[in-house]
Amino acid sequence: DNRQGNLGVTWTHVLDNATVGEFRYGLGLRLTRVDIAAGNDTPIVRFAASPVSGSIIGNAGNFPINRDQTDQQLVYNLTRLFGRNHQLKSGIDLRFSNLDDLADSFSRGFWSFNAACGGVTYPSSYAAFLDGCVTSFQKAWGPFFLENRLREYNAYIEDSWRIRQNLSLNLGLRYEFYQPEQDTDGFY
């Protein structure tokens, strides 16, 4: 189940005969739900040295995935003309992302079977499985649900001079600050 929706709004306004402002807002909403039909706690069974190396029963270990993402962007640009040949432009660009994410990483555990198990050599890893001889069991522990927050702040200024009909000089400065991604619990 994957759903996405986007909204964009722009408002351009003339402040005077030489100054124009533009405001933009963008919103992106994304929802992803990938569950396991047999249950989100269904373990994975792996067979070593099988006819197809790495054969498994069950789904891949990175499921389930339950993800909600909200992205917002605010932009404001201001342009001022000074005569016919000179233009000054400045603006800001603010971006805010919230990612609430349950991204599993083998928390369901996986059972591994090998032909050599418990001092017995079976004809195949499948035979060890049928006899119930487990080579190993692994399970991941930890916080699989994260509420990540990302903030980005950008500002710029650009000075453009039209020196001749076929020659322009553009000078600009841009500042960008990316706040490190942070979980709502305060972890980076």
Side-chain angles (χ1 to χ4, degrees):
D1 183 14
N2 294 300
R3 296 182 207 164
Q4 295 188 18
N6 295 298
L7 169 73
V9 177
T10 301
W11 176 49
T12 304
H13 55 285
V14 177
L15 298 169
D16 59 41
N17 63 352
T19 311
V20 175
E22 177 192 41
F23 171 79
R24 289 191 319 245
Y25 173 75
L27 174 66
L29 301 172
R30 290 156 191 78
L31 173 87
T32 302
R33 297 286 182 267
V34 182
D35 290 309
I36 300 168
N40 286 340
D41 58 352
T42 305
I44 304 160
V45 178
R46 294 192 306 189
F47 299 97
S50 62
V52 179
S53 182
S55 295
I56 65 169
I57 296 175
N59 295 68
N62 58 338
F63 294 115
I65 297 173
N66 292 291
R67 183 173 294 146
D68 295 305
Q69 184 173 348
T70 303
D71 298 314
Q72 298 184 71
Q73 182 181 19
L74 298 163
V75 176
Y76 187 79
N77 295 308
L78 187 65
T79 305
R80 173 89 178 157
L81 298 175
F82 298 95
R84 295 173 40 141
N85 298 326
H86 183 204
Q87 172 181 295
L88 190 63
K89 192 174 187 180
S90 63
I92 59 169
D93 180 356
L94 310 174
R95 299 174 190 215
F96 309 101
S97 293
N98 295 347
L99 176 60
D100 298 337
D101 194 13
L102 171 68
D104 206 305
S105 181
F106 296 104
S107 70
R108 296 181 285 131
F110 48 91
W111 305 85
S112 295
F113 296 90
N114 198 322
C117 180
V120 177
T121 301
Y122 291 92
S124 70
S125 55
Y126 297 115
F129 168 73
L130 292 174
D131 197 35
C133 191
V134 178
T135 305
S136 67
F137 176 77
Q138 294 177 319
K139 179 177 175 75
W141 301 93
F144 298 107
F145 182 72
L146 300 173
E147 294 175 293
N148 294 312
R149 302 297 178 256
L150 180 67
R151 305 294 181 249
E152 181 181 332
Y153 307 91
N154 307 297
Y156 78 95
I157 187 164
E158 179 185 272
D159 195 6
S160 298
W161 291 85
R162 191 161 149 196
I163 298 169
R164 294 201 315 239
Q165 190 69 14
N166 61 353
L167 179 64
S168 294
L169 175 65
N170 298 306
L171 303 171
L173 181 66
R174 183 174 179 90
Y175 174 78
E176 297 182 355
F177 175 74
Y178 297 91
Q179 181 179 352
E181 189 172 310
Q182 186 174 9
D183 187 75
T184 55
D185 292 333
F187 299 111
Y188 287 98

